[in-house]
Amino acid sequence: MPSLLGNVFKGWSDYSKGIEQGGNQKYEHMFSMSIDLDKCTGCNACSTACYAENNLAWVGEYKFASRQSMHWMRIERYFDEPDVGSSDPESLDRGASFLPMMCQQCNAAPCEPVCPVAATYHTVDALNAQVYNRCIGSRYCANNCPFRVRYFNFYDNAPTAWPAPMDQGLNPDLSVRSKGVMEKCTFCIQRIRGANETAKREGRELKDGDIVTACQQTCPTSAIVFGDLLDKTSEISKIWKRQQVKLGTYKQEKENKDLRGYRIFEELNIEPKVLYLERVREV
Amino acid sequence: MSENHQHLTNEQVKDIDENIAWAKINNDVLNSMKNPRKGYWVALVLSALLFGVMIYAEVYQYRNGMGETLLNTSHMWDLYISSFVFWIGMSHSGTLLSAILHLVHADWRKPIYRFAEAMTTFSLLTAGLFPVIHLGRVWNFYWVMPYMSDRGIWPNFRSPLIWDAFAITSYLTSSVLFLYIGMIPDLAICRDNTTGWRKTLYTFLSLGWRGDDRQWRHFRFTYLMIACFLIPLAVSVHSIVSMDFAMAIMPGWHVTTFPPYFVAGALYSGCAAIITLFVLLRYFFKFEEYMTMPILDKVCKLTFVIAMVWTYLNLIEFSAVWYGHDIPSKEVLIAKATGPYSIFFWGMMFFGSVLPFSLLSKAVRRNMKIMFFISIFLNVGMFLERWMIVTPTLSMGYHPQGFNVMWPGWVEWAMVGGSFGWFGLLFLVFVKVFPCVSMYEVKEMVYHRKRTTYADVDEMMELHSGVPGPEAQTQQSGGA
Amino acid sequence: MSKTKIDRRNFLKVLGLGSAGAALAGCDMPSYVTSDEGKENIYSYLAPEEYVIPGIGVWYASTCQQCPASCGVHGRVREGRVLKLEGNPDASVNKGKICQMGQAAIQGHFHPERIENPLINGQKATWDEALALVAKKSGGAAWLTGAMSGHQRVLIDAHRTAGGNARHYAVEVVNARPWEDASLATLGDANPNLHIDKARAVLAVGADFLGTWGNPVKSMRDYGNFRSAPRGVLMSIEPAMSMTGANSDIWVTARPGSEAAVLMGVGHILTTKHGVSVADMPSAALAFADMTPTKVLGLSDVKEEQLAKIADTLMANSPSLILANANHDTAKVAQVLNMMLGNVGQTLTPSAAITAEALLPVTGSSKDLVEFAMDAKAGKISSVFISGTNPVFLAPSKLDMAGALAKVGFKVAIADFHDETTTACDVVLPASSALEAWGTHVPVDGSDAGEVYIQQPLMENVHANTRGLGDILLAVAKGAGVDGLAEFEDYYGYLRTAVSALIGSDLEGDWNSILQKGKAVTAVNHSNFNAGGDVALGFSEPAAKAGTLTLITSARQGLFDGRHANLPWLQEAPDQISKAVWDSWAEIHPKTAAKIGAKDGDYITITSANGSITTRVFIYKGIHQDAISVPMGRGHTNYGLYAKNGVNPLSLLDASSGDRQTTELLNSGVSVTVKPTGDNRHLVRLMDVDSQHGRKLAATITADQFDRNQGGA
Amino acid sequence: MPADRPQRKTFPWIRAFIGTAVVGALIVVGAQIFEQQLHPVKPGGTPPPRVPNADFPTDTFDGKDVTQPINYSHKLHAGDLGINCLYCHTYARRSKVAGIPPTAKCMGCHTVVGTEKPEIQKLTAMWSKGQSPAWKKVNDVPDFVHFSHERHLQRFLLNNKDMNIKDSPDVCAMCHGDMNTVGVAKKMKPLTMGFCVTCHEKNKGPADCTRCHK
């Protein structure tokens, strides 16, 4: 057996270098997402699409009440600061702001170094991958995630979530997670791999628009854009450029202060790869 | 003996009465290992029951899933990890007494270090349970250990959990070694004074100890070596445990002072536990002559000092957070003090930092009953401390959506209680199978005290107790 | 995922066994560790076509039937099973997008509680028995359905005309009837095309176009463009915050029932302050002049500066668009304002219905529900077919729908799930799910492209003994001796012929391209507005006086009117506003809460003249102090395992809440009294915080900053 | 009181040694048994493979015999008649699953060939009734493993320098062993992760977990 010891110290750390090391130079792709909060109506379509695409188990009222739910993509609803909702103490005078929150696929992800068995690690296409069958459920990663977007299979959800014949509707492209395993948004990795296969089959390079995540596909207002940051011509990299948001820093210096792009918790130096565009307010 | 001690009896001033006959030491200790009384069996059964509850809880959790612990998406860790840290902390007492005090030649440790050392080992065995039972897929726990397989995959050496695994295993090994080596001369004594299966056991364990000079020379050297080796290990183990938190980025965990803070807390809880067991053993085994008031007095003073160190580090942490710029951390701190967990937080502060001041009074220090309860409360405080490290952070964190309060379910409490049962079980078996007071070192101690009191020791000994001098004694019964 | 285009019928032949053993890729419940041989079975296809490849998903076009909007969808079929729905880019109403209800269609399709066999008086029966019985006893039957269009409607009409022309009641509680009537009255066009994307400002008055009004997906798609630079301004006037309100830049809360007054107040300011001319509409001018801001304040608690702000925004951003569905009066005012502001012709254009009138949609109304109950009570209905609606659940308890149905001699339910209505029926015919059946649908809203959407099966029946709605209708019609149907052995055959006739070609190639695109394009006749002329504007004082509580039964995307309450995905999808899951709640204003002495999670009993419901309160400021809002959809009594929880606010409604002109049961208007029961249980929500605690999560910038950069992205 | 003089004890070397030896022996034997469970190899080993790569990358594996609804012989079809694997398992070229040939393909020949054989008649009966036989999965991997036949075939058919591959059967043999020698299909390679990883490392396959585990 060649190189049993080959990857003792390499592999896990290659693709998750922090900013101090100047980031990683070896990525093949760098998949990223941008969400325009001004277009997001909070309609839940993306969230439900995620349930359908990624075999997410519904857990029922009791487990939801104990916060053991499994929604990879959740739509949070906030009323505006500071006066929570309006200048008028009597009532709101403008709408809420909705925030679709899913795994931010950080380039310096805090969840990766702490996993004892390297079940979560950074792939060559800059994805924050989660290997279900390697996970032993120490749940350290979830503790270390500032976004609280890692969901743990506290129970064996499959029998209750997919009573026959519902299991016939499971997506065979990715596995159903068992009890005691951590899971999270994967940027629809099965679609990414599928698009790769198709591209290989047709003997061409992956091009912008080949990969469409389930949430992006269904978003009725097209608030979600997904693509490869290394491909300079792709829509997503244009958006990052236009918003003057840079990777590899935890403090954005924009010459144009009016631009809307920002990354949540980037000051923690974890390099989130989801770019949010601020909601616009008439005042 | 200074003047202010004049009005006190020997029993109260002297660490140990130098006139104890050595054979008496042997007999007392050996008797403590024989024919257990009713109380012993009751204690044994109780611990067994507690442990049984733990087993049941584990099976229940295994079949129904981790969710039964009421952990949730924000609180992925709770009492399991707290108890883990708590038991690791307990384990530091033995090392402190046996190794550190051994090196600084504080010979008052001699009558009490043996059970402290045993406590170290057993609390490590207990602590080791928790990282395993808290796993979602417990049947894969061995994946954290690096082992060769044709899959060629390895654990993630950057993860503090891996460091834990290494630290704890090596600490366990060396402390078992330390306990065993230190016991060899006593085992020889037991071998010479027992029959039946015990004799077989001790014969095997005492490795043919004859107590001649050469063996003693090697013994002393080895013992010293392991002691030196053990101290940095003890410090490092709890530093590494603290890194489970310090290496995370969560507010309230990401604290630079955690390693010393944890070590101090560990020694603290360890000393408290020693006092508890001290009182119990002294009471049950009639060890008044060996576990004397002055020794307890010294242990209490030690405890007080450590308590103050711990308090100091605590305050350092608070002030660092308070004057720092990290808003979430500050929020967590405020939530600790005012939030739903505040009662436990203040309980920890009271038991950990206020209660120790009672140790300043000699009357308290020398009152067995009071000391027993005080020591228990100190450890309660320490347990709360661990809980207050783990849970409030998770109930706040960075993202408001994750803010929530979580109370552990019965499964977790059963596991925690059960862990005490398991510890008690081990310890109870130990005291009946192995000498929980080091006979040969007590003899040394007595001998040295005689030296300080009388001019010509050997004659005096002939005079007083009619037993031959130390060397002869050594030849006879394998003691010092 | 390559969207392979293939011939539909061969695929069906292939599937003869495809779905019987569909474990080709091991998509059964996973065996986590076993890799033992001989554990699982593999079935092979019998005689697949070349394009049927196990392990590769193929996309087929169909039409979504989760709500009346009829969006075009693509279904991903693999190993003979449909796994995922996505919007059909060729469908001009939704252009490749669908909402959460559409996404959840899969779950309804594979639902374990589907009806699997025909039932006669609750007893299992064969199709022949059931159809024979139906043919025998259903002479001159009336039809009670949801919104209905396409050839299913044609068959129903054929059946009715053959049998003495009984009435077709189309029931939709969530509807646009006030808007339609007002548009008809003012513009002479019930469904003018809306161009939200072209508008610079949109004012929504009780018309939740982002949630449930019209075709929400189309509206949201336009809203996406509406929000990109130059950015339009969204305003809403409503008593309780809807999804549209939650996305508004200016949100004004008005006392329930007073929306018309507020709009007229806006008109007042437009005419007085901005000098917009209403010369050609004297009575409207009178109404505006009469509705002074002080009067508006008295009627609706809307302050003058709020009116002014709205009026200014409307003036500053032209063209604008004013949508109103609160009631007939409001909608009329809205249309008048649209005319005044010159939106007609720009953001409101004449609809262009397809020439085949027989296919045009029958939009539902709750008026039909009331009238059905009346007629049934009066014994005017001998027998009835019920399909695609659940009258017993939807009807206010005052109507006593169960009693009314009892008066009907013979009741046939065509349903795929057991619900409150099917149990009251003599015969239950098990319908296939929408993903298993053939059909055609004509969207109500806005496609002047003359599109007829084709609904085609995406897989074999999950339960072998169910039949598509079309097939059932065909069989029933045949049974009733409708002539001209004898030659068709199944609905597919009928549809094929009918559609060929529609497009004037029965070439295989044309048919295939129709199936690939999921739509048939046919001729439209372009109409014109006959606007102009005077419009009399009225304002009817709401029944509820100021200071008394008015119940609002708000509809939300998700459970909709309750038809999706049995889908766990939608039960667990947090409500857009309150973020509550799995149970009902009552939204009230903090002041109201203080008045009745309730805090978050308290159970309160809401009592109207027609009964009472008990649920938990959710306290926030997005609702008027005189309003209490209970979203509809929950509170089923017999809709399966997953729909047990919650309460049904519809049961409290009655005619007093009716709209004077359209006699619609509006979703607001019943005055209620509220009192806490003393119990309290934490309302299960996605998140218990409304504030961001100073974190930069959902950040905001001002519109001028946005405009300075043309939106940046 | 004078303590009685004990006779000197010496360390029981003999017993200690024997004990250790026994324990060690147990461990070794246990390991052997475990290994047997992992890779049962028929005593005497399997016959030398005719197809190249049949013993690559690891030794052969002797799976248990599976009784199939129809006693189909790979030896006859692939071995003696020399039918190419991809003639029946045609999906392997285009999809992640190789699939079982549709019954129509069997009937293509067996309407005329071998109609007198009982097994064929069994098949014909099913075909006429419109059922397909319930085959048992033989080369089965856990459901969290996503293996693509298409990718592997492409890789080794198009890019196989000095790999001793002439035709697709040589590629199939890498994971399925020498099917020409068995009757009813049986598992002839361990198909464990180690098996996959070994080959991946040898042939520079992707080392990324999420290529196979999704």
Side-chain angles (χ1 to χ4, degrees), chain B residues 21-24 27 150-153 191-193 199-200 203-204 206-210 465 467 475-477, chain D residues 1-12 15-17 38-39 144 192-195 197-198 201 209:
Chain B
W22 295 4
K24 180 177 185 311
N27 294 339
D150 56 357
R151 299 180 290 167
I153 45 181
R191 175 195 65 203
D192 301 345
N193 298 283
K199 194 175 193 67
T200 333
T203 319
F204 190 77
S206 57
L207 303 176
W209 176 270
R210 291 187 309 283
S465 54
V467 278
Q475 296 308 325
Q476 266 183 10
S477 63
Chain D
M1 23 89 215
D4 56 328
R5 291 183 166 280
Q7 78 286 17
R8 299 218 168 142
K9 285 270 174 279
T10 60
F11 182 66
R15 264 176 284 165
F17 178 75
L38 221 54
H39 304 283
F144 51 71
T192 58
M193 179 169 168
F195 175 85
V197 168
T198 319
E201 288 189 340
C209 313

Coordinates of all heavy atoms in Angstrom, one line a residue, chain B residues 21-24 27 150-153 191-193 199-200 203-204 206-210 465 467 475-477, chain D residues 1-12 15-17 38-39 144 192-195 197-198 201 209:
Chain B
A21 N 5.0 2.5 67.3 CA 5.8 1.3 67.0 C 5.6 1.0 65.5 O 4.5 1.0 65.0 CB 5.4 0.1 67.9
W22 N 6.7 0.6 64.8 CA 6.5 0.3 63.4 C 5.6 -0.9 63.1 O 4.9 -0.9 62.1 CB 7.9 0.1 62.8 CG 8.7 1.4 62.9 CD1 8.4 2.5 63.5 CD2 10.0 1.6 62.4 NE1 9.3 3.4 63.4 CE2 10.4 2.9 62.7 CE3 10.9 0.8 61.7 CZ2 11.6 3.4 62.4 CZ3 12.1 1.3 61.3 CH2 12.5 2.6 61.7
A23 N 5.7 -1.9 63.9 CA 4.8 -3.0 63.7 C 3.4 -2.5 63.8 O 2.5 -3.0 63.0 CB 5.1 -4.1 64.8
K24 N 3.1 -1.6 64.7 CA 1.8 -1.1 64.9 C 1.3 -0.5 63.5 O 0.2 -0.7 63.1 CB 1.7 -0.1 66.0 CG 0.3 0.5 66.2 CD 0.3 1.5 67.4 CE -1.0 2.0 67.7 NZ -1.8 2.4 66.6
N27 N 0.4 -3.1 61.3 CA -0.9 -3.8 61.6 C -2.1 -2.9 61.3 O -3.0 -3.3 60.7 CB -0.9 -4.1 63.2 CG 0.2 -5.1 63.4 OD1 0.5 -5.8 62.5 ND2 0.7 -5.2 64.7
D150 N -5.5 0.6 5.7 CA -5.3 0.7 4.2 C -6.1 1.9 3.7 O -6.0 2.2 2.5 CB -5.7 -0.6 3.6 CG -7.1 -0.9 3.9 OD1 -7.7 -0.2 4.6 OD2 -7.6 -2.0 3.3
R151 N -6.9 2.5 4.5 CA -7.6 3.7 4.0 C -6.7 4.9 4.0 O -7.0 5.9 3.3 CB -8.9 4.0 4.8 CG -9.9 2.9 4.8 CD -11.1 3.3 5.6 NE -10.8 3.3 7.1 CZ -11.6 3.8 8.0 NH1 -12.7 4.4 7.6 NH2 -11.2 3.7 9.2
G152 N -5.6 4.8 4.8 CA -4.6 5.9 4.7 C -5.2 7.2 5.2 O -4.7 8.3 4.7
I153 N -6.2 7.2 6.1 CA -6.7 8.5 6.6 C -6.3 8.6 8.1 O -6.2 7.6 8.8 CB -8.2 8.7 6.5 CG1 -8.9 7.4 6.9 CG2 -8.6 9.0 5.1 CD1 -10.4 7.4 6.8
R191 N 2.5 -8.7 51.1 CA 2.8 -10.1 50.7 C 3.2 -10.9 51.9 O 2.8 -12.0 52.1 CB 4.0 -10.1 49.7 CG 4.5 -11.4 49.3 CD 5.8 -11.3 48.6 NE 6.8 -10.7 49.5 CZ 7.9 -10.1 49.1 NH1 8.1 -9.9 47.8 NH2 8.8 -9.7 49.9
D192 N 4.1 -10.3 52.8 CA 4.6 -11.1 53.9 C 3.5 -11.3 55.0 O 3.7 -12.1 55.8 CB 5.8 -10.3 54.5 CG 6.8 -10.1 53.5 OD1 6.8 -10.8 52.4 OD2 7.7 -9.2 53.6
N193 N 2.5 -10.5 54.9 CA 1.5 -10.7 56.0 C 0.1 -11.2 55.6 O -0.8 -11.0 56.3 CB 1.3 -9.3 56.7 CG 2.7 -8.9 57.3 OD1 3.1 -9.4 58.3 ND2 3.3 -8.0 56.6
K199 N -2.1 -13.1 48.7 CA -0.6 -13.4 48.7 C -0.2 -13.5 47.3 O 0.8 -12.9 46.8 CB -0.3 -14.6 49.5 CG 1.2 -14.8 49.8 CD 1.4 -15.9 50.8 CE 2.8 -15.9 51.3 NZ 3.0 -14.8 52.3
T200 N -0.9 -14.3 46.5 CA -0.5 -14.5 45.1 C -0.4 -13.1 44.4 O 0.6 -12.8 43.8 CB -1.6 -15.3 44.4 OG1 -2.2 -16.2 45.4 CG2 -1.0 -16.2 43.3
T203 N 2.4 -11.1 45.7 CA 3.7 -11.7 45.3 C 4.0 -11.2 43.8 O 5.1 -10.8 43.5 CB 3.6 -13.2 45.3 OG1 2.9 -13.6 46.5 CG2 5.0 -13.8 45.2
F204 N 3.0 -11.3 43.0 CA 3.2 -11.0 41.6 C 3.5 -9.5 41.5 O 4.4 -9.1 40.8 CB 1.9 -11.3 40.8 CG 2.1 -11.2 39.3 CD1 2.7 -12.2 38.6 CD2 1.6 -10.1 38.6 CE1 2.9 -12.1 37.3 CE2 1.8 -10.0 37.3 CZ 2.5 -11.0 36.6
S206 N 4.6 -7.3 43.8 CA 5.8 -6.7 44.5 C 7.1 -7.0 43.8 O 8.1 -6.6 44.3 CB 5.8 -7.2 45.9 OG 5.9 -8.6 45.9
L207 N 7.0 -7.7 42.7 CA 8.2 -7.9 41.8 C 9.4 -8.4 42.7 O 10.5 -7.9 42.5 CB 8.5 -6.6 41.1 CG 7.5 -6.0 40.3 CD1 7.9 -4.7 39.7 CD2 7.1 -6.9 39.1
G208 N 9.1 -9.3 43.6 CA 10.3 -9.8 44.4 C 11.0 -8.8 45.2 O 12.2 -8.8 45.2
W209 N 10.3 -7.9 45.8 CA 11.0 -6.9 46.6 C 11.5 -7.5 47.8 O 10.8 -8.2 48.6 CB 10.0 -5.8 46.9 CG 10.5 -4.7 47.8 CD1 10.5 -4.7 49.2 CD2 11.2 -3.5 47.4 NE1 11.1 -3.6 49.6 CE2 11.5 -2.9 48.6 CE3 11.6 -3.0 46.2 CZ2 12.2 -1.6 48.6 CZ3 12.2 -1.8 46.2 CH2 12.6 -1.1 47.4
R210 N 12.8 -7.2 48.1 CA 13.4 -7.8 49.3 C 13.8 -6.6 50.2 O 14.1 -6.8 51.4 CB 14.6 -8.6 49.0 CG 14.3 -10.0 48.3 CD 15.5 -10.8 48.1 NE 16.6 -10.0 47.5 CZ 16.7 -9.8 46.2 NH1 15.7 -10.2 45.4 NH2 17.7 -9.1 45.7
S465 N 10.2 1.1 72.6 CA 9.2 0.2 72.1 C 9.8 -1.2 71.9 O 9.1 -2.1 71.5 CB 8.8 0.6 70.7 OG 10.0 0.8 69.9
V467 N 11.6 -2.6 70.0 CA 11.8 -3.2 68.6 C 13.1 -2.8 68.1 O 13.6 -1.8 68.5 CB 10.7 -2.7 67.6 CG1 9.4 -3.5 67.8 CG2 10.5 -1.2 67.8
Q475 N 15.5 -5.0 57.3 CA 15.8 -6.4 56.9 C 14.6 -7.3 57.2 O 14.2 -8.1 56.4 CB 17.0 -6.9 57.8 CG 18.3 -6.2 57.5 CD 18.6 -6.1 56.0 OE1 18.3 -7.1 55.3 NE2 19.1 -5.0 55.5
Q476 N 14.0 -7.0 58.4 CA 12.8 -7.9 58.7 C 11.7 -7.9 57.7 O 11.4 -8.8 57.0 CB 12.3 -7.5 60.1 CG 12.9 -8.2 61.2 CD 12.3 -7.8 62.5 OE1 11.3 -7.1 62.5 NE2 12.9 -8.1 63.6
S477 N 11.1 -6.7 57.7 CA 9.7 -6.7 57.2 C 9.6 -5.8 55.9 O 8.5 -5.3 55.6 CB 8.7 -6.1 58.2 OG 9.1 -4.8 58.5
Chain D
M1 N 6.3 -7.0 69.5 CA 6.0 -8.3 69.1 C 6.9 -8.7 67.9 O 7.0 -7.9 66.9 CB 4.5 -8.5 68.6 CG 3.9 -7.2 68.2 SD 4.0 -6.7 66.6 CE 4.1 -5.0 66.5
P2 N 7.6 -9.8 68.0 CA 8.6 -10.1 66.9 C 7.9 -10.6 65.6 O 7.0 -11.5 65.7 CB 9.4 -11.2 67.5 CG 8.5 -11.9 68.4 CD 7.5 -10.9 69.0
A3 N 8.1 -9.9 64.5 CA 7.5 -10.3 63.3 C 8.1 -11.6 62.8 O 9.4 -11.8 62.9 CB 7.7 -9.2 62.2
D4 N 7.3 -12.6 62.4 CA 7.9 -13.8 61.9 C 8.7 -13.6 60.6 O 8.3 -12.9 59.8 CB 6.7 -14.8 61.6 CG 5.8 -14.2 60.6 OD1 5.6 -13.0 60.7 OD2 5.2 -15.0 59.8
R5 N 9.8 -14.3 60.5 CA 10.7 -14.0 59.3 C 10.1 -14.7 58.1 O 10.0 -16.0 58.1 CB 12.1 -14.6 59.6 CG 12.8 -13.8 60.7 CD 14.2 -14.4 60.8 NE 15.1 -13.4 61.6 CZ 15.6 -12.4 61.0 NH1 15.5 -12.2 59.7 NH2 16.4 -11.6 61.8
P6 N 9.7 -14.0 57.1 CA 9.2 -14.7 55.9 C 10.4 -15.2 55.1 O 11.5 -14.7 55.2 CB 8.6 -13.5 55.1 CG 9.4 -12.3 55.5 CD 9.8 -12.6 56.9
Q7 N 10.1 -16.3 54.4 CA 11.2 -16.8 53.5 C 11.3 -15.8 52.3 O 10.3 -15.2 51.9 CB 10.9 -18.2 53.0 CG 9.9 -18.3 51.9 CD 8.5 -18.1 52.4 OE1 8.3 -17.6 53.5 NE2 7.5 -18.5 51.7
R8 N 12.4 -15.7 51.7 CA 12.6 -14.7 50.6 C 11.8 -15.1 49.4 O 11.8 -16.2 49.0 CB 14.1 -14.6 50.3 CG 14.9 -14.2 51.5 CD 16.0 -13.3 51.0 NE 16.6 -12.6 52.2 CZ 17.9 -12.4 52.3 NH1 18.7 -12.8 51.3 NH2 18.4 -11.8 53.3
K9 N 11.1 -14.1 48.9 CA 10.3 -14.4 47.6 C 11.2 -13.9 46.5 O 11.8 -12.9 46.5 CB 9.0 -13.6 47.7 CG 8.0 -14.2 48.6 CD 7.2 -15.2 47.8 CE 6.2 -15.9 48.8 NZ 6.9 -17.0 49.5
T10 N 11.2 -14.7 45.4 CA 11.8 -14.2 44.2 C 10.7 -14.0 43.2 O 9.6 -14.5 43.2 CB 12.7 -15.3 43.6 OG1 11.9 -16.5 43.3 CG2 13.8 -15.7 44.6
F11 N 11.0 -13.1 42.2 CA 10.0 -12.8 41.2 C 9.6 -14.0 40.4 O 10.5 -14.7 39.9 CB 10.5 -11.7 40.3 CG 9.5 -11.2 39.3 CD1 8.4 -10.6 39.8 CD2 9.7 -11.5 38.0 CE1 7.4 -10.2 38.8 CE2 8.8 -11.1 37.1 CZ 7.6 -10.4 37.5
P12 N 8.3 -14.3 40.2 CA 7.9 -15.5 39.5 C 8.1 -15.4 38.0 O 7.2 -15.2 37.2 CB 6.5 -15.7 39.9 CG 6.0 -14.3 40.1 CD 7.2 -13.6 40.7
R15 N 6.0 -17.9 35.6 CA 4.6 -17.6 35.5 C 4.4 -16.3 34.6 O 3.6 -16.3 33.7 CB 4.0 -17.4 36.9 CG 3.3 -18.7 37.4 CD 2.8 -18.5 38.8 NE 3.9 -18.5 39.8 CZ 3.7 -18.1 41.0 NH1 2.6 -17.6 41.4 NH2 4.7 -18.1 41.9
A16 N 5.2 -15.3 35.0 CA 5.1 -14.1 34.2 C 5.3 -14.3 32.7 O 4.5 -14.0 31.9 CB 6.1 -13.1 34.7
F17 N 6.3 -15.1 32.4 CA 6.6 -15.4 31.0 C 5.5 -16.1 30.3 O 5.0 -15.7 29.3 CB 7.9 -16.2 30.9 CG 8.3 -16.5 29.5 CD1 8.8 -15.6 28.6 CD2 8.0 -17.8 29.0 CE1 9.1 -15.9 27.3 CE2 8.3 -18.1 27.7 CZ 8.9 -17.1 26.9
L38 N -12.1 -9.9 7.2 CA -11.9 -8.8 6.3 C -11.7 -9.2 4.8 O -12.4 -8.8 3.9 CB -10.8 -7.9 6.7 CG -11.0 -6.4 6.7 CD1 -12.2 -6.0 7.5 CD2 -9.8 -5.7 7.3
H39 N -10.8 -10.0 4.6 CA -10.5 -10.5 3.3 C -10.5 -12.0 3.2 O -9.4 -12.6 3.2 CB -9.1 -10.0 2.8 CG -9.0 -8.5 2.8 ND1 -9.6 -7.7 1.9 CD2 -8.4 -7.7 3.7 CE1 -9.3 -6.4 2.2 NE2 -8.6 -6.4 3.3
F144 N -23.4 5.9 1.1 CA -22.7 7.1 1.2 C -21.5 7.1 0.2 O -20.8 8.1 0.2 CB -22.3 7.5 2.6 CG -21.6 6.4 3.3 CD1 -20.3 6.0 2.9 CD2 -22.2 5.7 4.3 CE1 -19.6 5.0 3.6 CE2 -21.5 4.7 5.0 CZ -20.2 4.3 4.6
T192 N -13.5 -2.4 -0.6 CA -13.5 -1.5 0.6 C -12.8 -0.2 0.2 O -12.3 0.0 -0.9 CB -12.6 -2.2 1.7 OG1 -11.3 -2.4 1.1 CG2 -13.2 -3.5 2.0
M193 N -12.9 0.7 1.2 CA -12.3 2.0 0.9 C -10.8 1.9 0.6 O -10.2 2.5 -0.2 CB -12.5 3.0 2.1 CG -11.9 4.4 1.8 SD -12.5 5.6 3.0 CE -11.3 6.9 2.7
G194 N -10.1 1.0 1.4 CA -8.7 0.8 1.2 C -8.5 0.4 -0.3 O -7.6 0.9 -0.9
F195 N -9.3 -0.5 -0.8 CA -9.2 -1.0 -2.2 C -9.2 0.2 -3.1 O -8.4 0.4 -4.0 CB -10.4 -1.9 -2.4 CG -10.5 -2.4 -3.8 CD1 -9.8 -3.5 -4.3 CD2 -11.3 -1.7 -4.7 CE1 -9.9 -3.9 -5.6 CE2 -11.5 -2.2 -6.0 CZ -10.7 -3.3 -6.4
V197 N -8.8 3.5 -2.3 CA -7.7 4.5 -2.1 C -6.4 4.0 -2.7 O -5.7 4.8 -3.4 CB -7.6 4.7 -0.6 CG1 -6.3 5.5 -0.3 CG2 -8.8 5.5 -0.1
T198 N -6.2 2.7 -2.5 CA -4.9 2.2 -3.1 C -4.8 2.5 -4.6 O -3.8 3.0 -5.0 CB -4.9 0.7 -2.9 OG1 -5.4 0.4 -1.6 CG2 -3.4 0.2 -3.1
E201 N -4.4 6.2 -5.3 CA -3.1 6.8 -5.1 C -2.1 6.3 -6.2 O -1.3 7.0 -6.7 CB -2.5 6.3 -3.7 CG -3.2 7.0 -2.6 CD -2.6 6.7 -1.3 OE1 -1.8 5.7 -1.2 OE2 -2.8 7.5 -0.3
C209 N -12.2 13.8 -0.5 CA -13.3 12.9 0.1 C -14.6 13.1 -0.6 O -15.3 12.2 -0.9 CB -13.5 13.2 1.6 SG -12.0 13.3 2.5

